[in-house]
Amino acid sequence: MNSFGLKFRFTTFGESHGKAIGCVVDGVPAGLAIDEAFIQSELDRRRPGKNKFTTTRKESDSVEILSGVFEGKSTGTPIAMVIFNKDQKSRDYSNIKDIFRPGHADFTYFYKYGIRDYRGGGRSSARETAARVAAGAVAKLLLKEFGIEVAAGVVEVAGIEAKRLDFEYARISEIFALDPAVEEAQKAAILEAKEAHDSVGGAVLVRAKGVPVGLGEPIYYKLDSKLAEAMMSINAAKAVEIGLGIEVSRLRGSQNNDQMAKEGFLSNNAGGILGGISNGEDVVAKVWFKPTPSIFQKQRSVDIHGNEVEVELKGRHDPFVAARGAVVAEAMMALVLADMLLLNATSKLESLKKIYG
């Protein structure tokens, strides 16, 4: 499947070394102001080649809107956007044309489809996430109309954990670090792995503020279940936690329950979601990313003929994929919330009567 969402739905297309990547966003209400500069700024945040902590691939990631917008506003029809690839070096992959790279989707794609695009992983490449960020930017524009803001940042790198959460600082950090006090140690860990021709993993925290009560569709389209699905669809994501996540399994009910007073909830262990429905608190998710599988060390593998081989990769790769993954996680949360916002619009008869009464 290449599409996500029910009411606010997007489909991505394209490959890492193809002519272009892009998306079609359907379900955007007519009349939404489409700020093209904002959409481009979101892509610029995810763009590769900006510093020594990312791949050296140079892509401008300039987005072009092809349809669905007239005189700066959405028309209610599908919004199509395209990003042309400019800096492919497909020759870097010629030596692994018939070899499965350890940790990559090469093996599974080949046996599922009987064919694979070996140039940078083709469709399985994280290059596809640029299209998600474009779609997520449109979702953010819709959420802004209702006072909902989504932010994300890196909370852990190679076991070095943030002690404070500063989402404003994360926006200006080279690695989207949430805690400036540990940022230098986190950067050092990334560069140490890079110099050793290796990579490191980490975690990203995503938070949505201003989320109203009632978003989420029980039982099979719960807000937390769709958030988990959305985050796990991101390349290299291996685990997702909502609120306190696994920590709640170590608590008693008396410790975990978010007690209530007239002014609202007294804590937010649930991460803003109860029974699959938003409760008005901040929606919080933590996404864990594996180390980038593309490393420049000799590794054992097999080729498409079943022969054992030794593989040494070429090319340009992120030593720490979670950094740019923070921007993608933001986009995915925005897309889920936009979908839930539209779904919730018809949950009550009184809401329908306001439109048709």
Side-chain angles (χ1 to χ4, degrees), residues 233-263:
S233 74
I234 302 172
N235 310 66
K238 298 303 292 183
V240 178
E241 297 180 79
I242 306 296
L244 282 188
I246 62 172
E247 288 300 317
V248 302
S249 66
R250 299 163 183 156
L251 301 178
R252 292 190 174 189
S254 57
Q255 297 171 303
N256 178 59
N257 291 344
D258 295 314
Q259 298 185 52
M260 303 172 69
K262 285 193 297 184
E263 62 271 19

Side-chain angles (χ1 to χ4, degrees), residues 8 16 31 59 104 114-116 123 130 140 161 182 227 236 247 266 274 285 292 323 325-326 339 349 351 355:
F8 193 102
S16 177
E59 293 285 358
H104 280 270
I115 187 173
R116 71 179 175 96
R123 184 72 176 150
K140 284 185 177 183
E161 188 176 359
V182 299
L227 278 175
E247 288 300 317
L266 303 180
L274 290 171
T292 317
D339 191 33
L349 181 61
S351 299
I355 301 172

Side-chain angles (χ1 to χ4, degrees), residues 37 61 227 333:
D61 279 356
L227 278 175
M333 179 174 276

Side-chain angles (χ1 to χ4, degrees), residues 1 4 10 124-125 128-129 132 226-238 240 287 289 328 332:
M1 299 295 291
F4 188 90
F10 76 97
S124 68
S125 169
E128 178 268 349
T129 61
R132 303 187 194 203
K226 295 310 291 185
L227 278 175
E229 180 184 344
M231 299 305 169
M232 284 301 294
S233 74
I234 302 172
N235 310 66
K238 298 303 292 183
V240 178
V287 189
F289 289 87
V328 184
M332 293 307 295

Side-chain angles (χ1 to χ4, degrees), residues 206-323:
V206 198
R207 182 194 69 187
K209 297 184 72 67
V211 180
V213 179
L215 301 192
E217 302 294 318
I219 292 177
Y220 300 111
Y221 212 78
K222 292 184 176 184
L223 178 54
D224 43 3
S225 68
K226 295 310 291 185
L227 278 175
E229 180 184 344
M231 299 305 169
M232 284 301 294
S233 74
I234 302 172
N235 310 66
K238 298 303 292 183
V240 178
E241 297 180 79
I242 306 296
L244 282 188
I246 62 172
E247 288 300 317
V248 302
S249 66
R250 299 163 183 156
L251 301 178
R252 292 190 174 189
S254 57
Q255 297 171 303
N256 178 59
N257 291 344
D258 295 314
Q259 298 185 52
M260 303 172 69
K262 285 193 297 184
E263 62 271 19
F265 290 92
L266 303 180
S267 58
N268 191 24
N269 296 334
I273 303 171
L274 290 171
I277 301 170
S278 61
N279 65 8
E281 295 293 307
D282 291 352
V283 173
V284 181
K286 191 175 185 180
V287 189
W288 295 87
F289 289 87
K290 70 180 182 181
T292 317
S294 293
I295 58 175
F296 302 109
Q297 296 183 11
K298 289 183 178 179
Q299 301 176 85
R300 292 179 59 187
S301 187
V302 296
D303 62 22
I304 61 174
H305 308 293
N307 301 311
E308 290 190 358
V309 296
E310 195 172 64
V311 59
E312 191 167 7
L313 301 183
K314 299 178 183 179
R316 300 160 295 175
H317 309 286
D318 292 85
F320 176 62
V321 73

Side-chain angles (χ1 to χ4, degrees), residues 144-161:
K144 185 179 178 182
E145 295 286 326
F146 299 89
I148 303 171
E149 297 180 357
V150 183
V154 170
V155 72
E156 188 170 319
V157 179
I160 303 168
E161 188 176 359

Side-chain angles (χ1 to χ4, degrees), residues 167-219:
F167 288 93
E168 287 301 314
Y169 182 79
R171 290 190 66 85
I172 63 171
S173 166
E174 289 183 303
I175 61 168
F176 301 95
L178 284 165
D179 187 352
V182 299
E183 180 183 20
E184 290 307 313
Q186 291 174 334
K187 284 182 173 180
I190 297 169
L191 293 180
E192 182 182 353
K194 182 179 180 180
E195 290 167 7
H197 304 297
D198 215 331
S199 62
V200 292
V204 164
L205 197 70
V206 198
R207 182 194 69 187
K209 297 184 72 67
V211 180
V213 179
L215 301 192
E217 302 294 318
I219 292 177

